[in-house]
Amino acid sequence: MKTLTKVTLVFLLFSCKLVYSQNDFTYRSVPASLTSKVAVSDGDRAKTIANTPNLYDLTQSLPAGFVRNGSVDYTDYLQKAINANQNVIFPDFPVLVNSKGIVLKSNMIVIFAKNSKLILQPTETDNYQVIRMYNTKNTKLYYPYIVGDREGHLGHGGEAGMGISIRGGSDNEVYNAHITNCWGDGIFFGDLTKNITLYSPFLDNNRRNGISIVWADGIKIYNMLSTNTNGTAPMAGIDIEPDDNTQHVDNILLQNPVTFNNKIRGILFAFKNFTGKANQSVNIDINNHKDIGSNIGVAFYLGAKKEGSVPVLGNIKFTNPDWSGSKKPMYMDPDMDNNGVNLRISGSGSNAGNLKRLASKARNVQFDQ
């Protein structure tokens, strides 16, 4: 009986260790060779500031005796000043904000100074947006630096704590966003957002995805660096995934994206909830994607077998991808052919042979050397 108890204990210990190893994640420092490409030069920042008319310094609206170490919540002071001014620059030091976050409006220019930083006060809510751009139009956001609350988060469930949430609106631009430690995504797109451009965003150690594109048309992202995404599924550097058949994603461009050490996927396409009675079509171009160290470089979940549904149509094109540094270059789900999306991969170099074998049973995949 004692022997049986010992064997059972050893088995349980081994099982626990195995489960832990499967869920283990090791954060890796992002090499300077990558971060230098998304950094803001002092010259560029100074030029942006100099060229912005009627720029109001939000420091002027802080209370007497304000602190400069990010330990006091100044959300309401900042928001009141943003509501009253068209072009603003954040204080040149860290500021604590609460889960209400900061709300931007249309036709603004918003600049973060060299030492500006928004630090989210630990909260138990799983649904926050540190910066909210809801139905904004023609707003330019320069150099936002956001630190989420994942290290001190007071709750346990949920996954909707976002660094920047862009819902609805159109024709906005975000430059050199630096977003870390969010409970959910670094940047989220929803509610039929149109014609948004991100330049050189850096998303690190966010819990769900670096970037999620759920409902959007006309998204351009240049020189994205999305790293160390881990914590709760799907854990992708960028995830393109409509919630249902009433939404759509179309006209998406990713130029020179780099994904690094994301726990599950560098880039994820998840369209299983996209199929339905309504016809949907996607057009997505991804040029020069490089993944380093993610479990899967790119993953496709495009198929569906829903009764009465019509397949998603359109095109996804990768040009010159480099997944040689991924633990596994590509995944295609078994239902890959239950859709009308044409996948074309051009210039995959040394990956070509392995990728062709992976996709050998998929009729709608084309490889060009």
Side-chain angles (χ1 to χ4, degrees), residues 91-109:
D92 195 21
F93 49 83
V95 176
L96 191 70
V97 295
N98 61 45
S99 59
K100 290 190 296 185
I102 299 297
V103 180
L104 303 186
K105 59 190 180 184
S106 295
N107 303 305
M108 294 192 76
I109 296 177

Side-chain angles (χ1 to χ4, degrees), residues 129-200:
Q129 303 86 34
V130 181
I131 291 181
R132 189 176 307 151
M133 300 176 70
Y134 283 15
N135 299 311
T136 59
K137 296 182 179 181
N138 302 307
T139 288
K140 294 183 179 180
L141 174 58
Y142 288 92
Y143 324 132
Y145 196 124
I146 295 170
V147 180
D149 75 331
R150 88 172 279 173
E151 300 302 328
H153 191 70
L154 303 178
H156 299 286
E159 54 187 37
M162 314 305 188
I164 299 176
S165 188
I166 306 175
R167 295 172 179 260
S170 64
D171 303 295
N172 301 305
E173 299 177 354
V174 180
Y175 293 80
N176 299 86
H178 185 132
I179 305 174
T180 67
N181 291 335
C182 288
W183 192 246
D185 306 335
I187 299 176
F188 177 89
F189 291 97
D191 294 358
L192 192 53
T193 304
K194 295 183 177 181
N195 302 327
I196 309 295
T197 305
L198 305 182
Y199 297 97
S200 302

